[in-house]
PDB file of all heavy atoms in Angstrom:
ATOM      1  N   ARG B 103      -1.622   8.901 -17.659  1.00  0.00           N
ATOM      2  CA  ARG B 103      -2.217   9.031 -18.994  1.00  0.00           C
ATOM      3  C   ARG B 103      -3.332  10.083 -18.977  1.00  0.00           C
ATOM      4  O   ARG B 103      -3.409  10.946 -19.854  1.00  0.00           O
ATOM      5  CB  ARG B 103      -2.767   7.693 -19.463  1.00  0.00           C
ATOM      6  CG  ARG B 103      -3.364   7.740 -20.866  1.00  0.00           C
ATOM      7  CD  ARG B 103      -3.806   6.370 -21.321  1.00  0.00           C
ATOM      8  NE  ARG B 103      -2.754   5.386 -21.296  1.00  0.00           N
ATOM      9  CZ  ARG B 103      -1.905   5.135 -22.294  1.00  0.00           C
ATOM     10  NH1 ARG B 103      -2.001   5.808 -23.416  1.00  0.00           N
ATOM     11  NH2 ARG B 103      -0.981   4.211 -22.186  1.00  0.00           N
ATOM     12  N   LEU B 104      -4.201  10.031 -17.983  1.00  0.00           N
ATOM     13  CA  LEU B 104      -5.295  10.994 -17.888  1.00  0.00           C
ATOM     14  C   LEU B 104      -4.769  12.382 -17.529  1.00  0.00           C
ATOM     15  O   LEU B 104      -5.223  13.380 -18.097  1.00  0.00           O
ATOM     16  CB  LEU B 104      -6.344  10.531 -16.866  1.00  0.00           C
ATOM     17  CG  LEU B 104      -7.548  11.445 -16.683  1.00  0.00           C
ATOM     18  CD1 LEU B 104      -8.277  11.676 -18.006  1.00  0.00           C
ATOM     19  CD2 LEU B 104      -8.498  10.859 -15.641  1.00  0.00           C
ATOM     20  N   ALA B 105      -3.818  12.457 -16.613  1.00  0.00           N
ATOM     21  CA  ALA B 105      -3.231  13.750 -16.248  1.00  0.00           C
ATOM     22  C   ALA B 105      -2.604  14.408 -17.475  1.00  0.00           C
ATOM     23  O   ALA B 105      -2.735  15.625 -17.669  1.00  0.00           O
ATOM     24  CB  ALA B 105      -2.203  13.571 -15.141  1.00  0.00           C
ATOM     25  N   GLY B 106      -1.959  13.603 -18.323  1.00  0.00           N
ATOM     26  CA  GLY B 106      -1.372  14.133 -19.550  1.00  0.00           C
ATOM     27  C   GLY B 106      -2.427  14.624 -20.521  1.00  0.00           C
ATOM     28  O   GLY B 106      -2.269  15.683 -21.152  1.00  0.00           O
ATOM     29  N   TRP B 107      -3.522  13.862 -20.654  1.00  0.00           N
ATOM     30  CA  TRP B 107      -4.598  14.279 -21.548  1.00  0.00           C
ATOM     31  C   TRP B 107      -5.214  15.593 -21.059  1.00  0.00           C
ATOM     32  O   TRP B 107      -5.471  16.506 -21.848  1.00  0.00           O
ATOM     33  CB  TRP B 107      -5.670  13.184 -21.644  1.00  0.00           C
ATOM     34  CG  TRP B 107      -6.790  13.561 -22.553  1.00  0.00           C
ATOM     35  CD1 TRP B 107      -6.817  13.453 -23.908  1.00  0.00           C
ATOM     36  CD2 TRP B 107      -8.035  14.157 -22.168  1.00  0.00           C
ATOM     37  NE1 TRP B 107      -8.016  13.945 -24.395  1.00  0.00           N
ATOM     38  CE2 TRP B 107      -8.782  14.382 -23.349  1.00  0.00           C
ATOM     39  CE3 TRP B 107      -8.592  14.528 -20.952  1.00  0.00           C
ATOM     40  CZ2 TRP B 107     -10.046  14.956 -23.341  1.00  0.00           C
ATOM     41  CZ3 TRP B 107      -9.861  15.095 -20.936  1.00  0.00           C
ATOM     42  CH2 TRP B 107     -10.568  15.302 -22.130  1.00  0.00           C
ATOM     43  N   ILE B 108      -5.426  15.697 -19.742  1.00  0.00           N
ATOM     44  CA  ILE B 108      -5.995  16.925 -19.178  1.00  0.00           C
ATOM     45  C   ILE B 108      -5.050  18.099 -19.415  1.00  0.00           C
ATOM     46  O   ILE B 108      -5.486  19.183 -19.813  1.00  0.00           O
ATOM     47  CB  ILE B 108      -6.307  16.749 -17.677  1.00  0.00           C
ATOM     48  CG1 ILE B 108      -7.477  15.774 -17.499  1.00  0.00           C
ATOM     49  CG2 ILE B 108      -6.623  18.096 -17.022  1.00  0.00           C
ATOM     50  CD1 ILE B 108      -7.707  15.328 -16.061  1.00  0.00           C
ATOM     51  N   ALA B 109      -3.753  17.892 -19.199  1.00  0.00           N
ATOM     52  CA  ALA B 109      -2.776  18.968 -19.411  1.00  0.00           C
ATOM     53  C   ALA B 109      -2.770  19.412 -20.872  1.00  0.00           C
ATOM     54  O   ALA B 109      -2.724  20.614 -21.161  1.00  0.00           O
ATOM     55  CB  ALA B 109      -1.388  18.508 -18.972  1.00  0.00           C
ATOM     56  N   THR B 110      -2.838  18.466 -21.784  1.00  0.00           N
ATOM     57  CA  THR B 110      -2.840  18.782 -23.211  1.00  0.00           C
ATOM     58  C   THR B 110      -4.074  19.593 -23.602  1.00  0.00           C
ATOM     59  O   THR B 110      -3.997  20.507 -24.422  1.00  0.00           O
ATOM     60  CB  THR B 110      -2.779  17.487 -24.050  1.00  0.00           C
ATOM     61  OG1 THR B 110      -1.574  16.801 -23.724  1.00  0.00           O
ATOM     62  CG2 THR B 110      -2.832  17.772 -25.533  1.00  0.00           C
ATOM     63  N   HIS B 111      -5.207  19.272 -23.016  1.00  0.00           N
ATOM     64  CA  HIS B 111      -6.478  19.912 -23.375  1.00  0.00           C
ATOM     65  C   HIS B 111      -6.962  20.915 -22.332  1.00  0.00           C
ATOM     66  O   HIS B 111      -8.127  21.327 -22.371  1.00  0.00           O
ATOM     67  CB  HIS B 111      -7.543  18.835 -23.605  1.00  0.00           C
ATOM     68  CG  HIS B 111      -7.192  17.922 -24.728  1.00  0.00           C
ATOM     69  ND1 HIS B 111      -7.045  18.351 -26.019  1.00  0.00           N
ATOM     70  CD2 HIS B 111      -6.912  16.606 -24.751  1.00  0.00           C
ATOM     71  CE1 HIS B 111      -6.699  17.344 -26.787  1.00  0.00           C
ATOM     72  NE2 HIS B 111      -6.604  16.269 -26.043  1.00  0.00           N
ATOM     73  N   GLN B 112      -6.072  21.318 -21.449  1.00  0.00           N
ATOM     74  CA  GLN B 112      -6.456  22.197 -20.341  1.00  0.00           C
ATOM     75  C   GLN B 112      -7.141  23.477 -20.804  1.00  0.00           C
ATOM     76  O   GLN B 112      -8.197  23.838 -20.291  1.00  0.00           O
ATOM     77  CB  GLN B 112      -5.220  22.533 -19.507  1.00  0.00           C
ATOM     78  CG  GLN B 112      -5.499  23.469 -18.349  1.00  0.00           C
ATOM     79  CD  GLN B 112      -4.273  23.661 -17.490  1.00  0.00           C
ATOM     80  OE1 GLN B 112      -3.539  22.719 -17.241  1.00  0.00           O
ATOM     81  NE2 GLN B 112      -4.052  24.879 -17.049  1.00  0.00           N
ATOM     82  N   GLU B 113      -6.572  24.165 -21.774  1.00  0.00           N
ATOM     83  CA  GLU B 113      -7.161  25.427 -22.231  1.00  0.00           C
ATOM     84  C   GLU B 113      -8.556  25.205 -22.822  1.00  0.00           C
ATOM     85  O   GLU B 113      -9.470  26.002 -22.575  1.00  0.00           O
ATOM     86  CB  GLU B 113      -6.245  26.117 -23.241  1.00  0.00           C
ATOM     87  CG  GLU B 113      -4.924  26.578 -22.658  1.00  0.00           C
ATOM     88  CD  GLU B 113      -5.079  27.532 -21.478  1.00  0.00           C
ATOM     89  OE1 GLU B 113      -5.927  28.451 -21.563  1.00  0.00           O
ATOM     90  OE2 GLU B 113      -4.363  27.365 -20.480  1.00  0.00           O
ATOM     91  N   ASP B 114      -8.730  24.131 -23.573  1.00  0.00           N
ATOM     92  CA  ASP B 114     -10.046  23.824 -24.134  1.00  0.00           C
ATOM     93  C   ASP B 114     -11.046  23.488 -23.033  1.00  0.00           C
ATOM     94  O   ASP B 114     -12.208  23.903 -23.100  1.00  0.00           O
ATOM     95  CB  ASP B 114      -9.960  22.656 -25.116  1.00  0.00           C
ATOM     96  CG  ASP B 114      -9.326  23.051 -26.439  1.00  0.00           C
ATOM     97  OD1 ASP B 114      -9.361  24.245 -26.793  1.00  0.00           O
ATOM     98  OD2 ASP B 114      -8.787  22.160 -27.115  1.00  0.00           O
TER      99      ASP B 114
END
Side-chain angles (χ1 to χ4, degrees):
R103 182 176 303 272
L104 181 57
W107 180 82
I108 291 169
T110 299
H111 298 298
Q112 179 175 320
E113 294 303 316
D114 286 336

